[in-house]
Amino acid sequence: LLAGTFIATSGIVATAGETPEAEVEQTIRQFYTHLNTGDFEKAFQFVKPGCEGFHPSGLLKRIPNEQVHAMIVAKYTAEHAEGNTRQVQPKLLSVRMLGTDHAIATYYPEGIQVEDGVSSHFMGRATLVMSKADDKWSLVHWHVSRLAEDEVLTPLAKR
């Protein structure tokens, strides 16, 4: 999301007995755990081919096929190896079910990124559309935008 475009071919398997909302939340938290450690193959396992969404830059990103998946994973892996890293946490994560196998998740991705040796704080707002098939939650659409500096300074509890 803020840290890059999601790409992959299969979902993360849900744990038996969890509520659907908890399954979606677990999937999103697993994504960020893998992203933060630089394991982009695992991080991007829950994105359906053909998904699209809006990147924080405002550009619409489409993931049409496996070749694009491989190129993006390779790009982020190389950047991470060069020291360009991100530590991102989803804050105030909320999941709303749309039936039994579709959900919308909203949250504030917040973290620190290091790019070309310079560390900076960022915060955004994110909305994900998720779909469940074969006991796996997958991303089908996302929209992420950066918060303006004055919005970042406003405590989240007041929003």
Side-chain angles (χ1 to χ4, degrees):
L1 289 166
L2 271 180
T5 306
F6 291 116
I7 318 295
T9 58
S10 63
I12 295 173
V13 178
T15 304
E18 286 188 305
T19 65
E21 293 89 349
E23 292 173 2
V24 171
E25 183 174 333
Q26 175 188 351
T27 300
I28 294 167
R29 292 193 186 282
Q30 283 180 317
F31 166 79
Y32 283 109
T33 297
H34 296 307
L35 178 81
N36 291 337
T37 61
D39 191 344
F40 300 105
E41 284 289 342
K42 284 185 181 176
F44 299 142
Q45 285 181 351
F46 78 100
V47 180
K48 284 185 174 277
C51 73
E52 64 183 23
F54 291 96
H55 189 268
S57 66
L59 296 176
L60 177 63
K61 302 282 185 165
R62 289 192 172 101
I63 315 331
N65 55 46
E66 293 297 322
Q67 291 79 16
V68 172
H69 167 267
M71 289 181 346
I72 292 176
V73 169
K75 174 185 181 271
Y76 285 112
T77 300
E79 287 178 358
H80 187 82
E82 293 171 0
N84 295 326
T85 62
R86 293 167 183 87
Q87 295 296 311
V88 186
Q89 295 301 319
K91 305 284 181 134
L92 300 177
L93 178 58
S94 174
V95 176
R96 180 173 167 229
M97 296 304 299
L98 302 173
T100 58
D101 53 4
H102 292 89
I104 295 176
T106 57
Y107 59 96
Y108 294 97
E110 181 177 23
I112 301 293
Q113 67 183 25
V114 177
E115 194 167 336
D116 299 326
V118 178
S119 178
S120 62
H121 173 263
F122 64 87
M123 181 177 257
R125 51 175 82 82
T127 302
L128 308 181
V129 178
M130 307 285 288
S131 177
K132 186 176 184 180
D134 300 324
D135 290 327
K136 297 175 186 176
W137 283 100
S138 299
L139 181 69
V140 294
H141 184 81
W142 76 92
H143 188 135
V144 179
S145 58
R146 290 190 185 267
L147 291 174
E149 196 61 37
D150 60 333
E151 292 177 296
V152 172
L153 298 176
T154 304
L156 285 176
K158 292 183 180 180
R159 294 176 199 211

